[in-house]
Amino acid sequence: MTEYEILLLLAPELSEEKQTEIVDRVRTLIEQGGGTVERHDPWGRRKLAYPIAKQEDGIYHLLDFTAEPETLDELTRVLKIDDDVLRHLATRRPERGPAEPVAARAAIGDHAGEPVDAPEEE
């Protein structure tokens, strides 16, 4: 089993129910392939750097999971077919990499002028 993370970019007009349906379908495909979903982190609506399919915004979801490479191939095939998924990117997690995504919580434009990797003040 290999550890992966996949970032889903969904169409901005999708309802919460439709978003949940897509994420559940991803979970089901992973589990059917013998993998496990370790974490789901909904990032929410973000402005895109450039329009994709005439859309200026998108809804992001990050999932961390373990699976066989064949399962990832099937997952990628299914996501390419779905018109509600604007883009997706699956990457292998580094063995000793960070457990949490770096700077995932800050929306574009938030904390302008602060370095992305600045430690949070308590």
Side-chain angles (χ1 to χ4, degrees):
M1 293 282 204
T2 307
E3 294 183 350
Y4 296 102
E5 63 182 23
I6 189 164
L7 185 63
L8 303 174
L9 173 56
L10 307 179
E13 70 274 357
L14 292 180
S15 65
E16 287 289 329
E17 294 80 24
K18 184 66 175 170
Q19 291 177 48
T20 303
E21 179 184 317
I22 292 171
V23 172
D24 287 344
R25 187 171 353 124
V26 169
R27 284 180 192 265
T28 302
L29 285 168
I30 292 168
E31 291 167 357
Q32 285 176 348
T36 58
V37 176
E38 297 166 6
R39 185 172 54 121
H40 171 224
D41 190 10
W43 288 3
R45 182 184 215 95
R46 305 282 176 104
K47 183 160 179 54
L48 303 177
Y50 56 89
I52 298 174
K54 300 182 182 178
Q55 303 292 331
E56 298 288 332
D57 296 337
I59 301 170
Y60 289 85
H61 289 268
L62 178 70
L63 289 98
D64 289 346
F65 63 98
T66 56
E68 295 294 334
E70 296 81 17
T71 303
L72 182 61
D73 292 341
E74 176 64 12
L75 181 61
T76 300
R77 185 189 72 77
V78 169
L79 289 173
K80 284 181 182 177
I81 295 170
D82 193 341
D83 291 334
D84 292 328
V85 179
L86 298 178
R87 296 280 192 277
H88 67 280
L89 178 65
T91 58
R92 254 177 79 186
R93 282 188 295 185
E95 290 182 19
R96 293 192 176 101
E100 295 289 321
V102 179
R105 305 258 187 266
I108 296 173
D110 291 354
H111 311 294
E114 282 185 33
V116 172
D117 58 351
E120 294 182 17
E121 297 180 20
E122 294 183 3

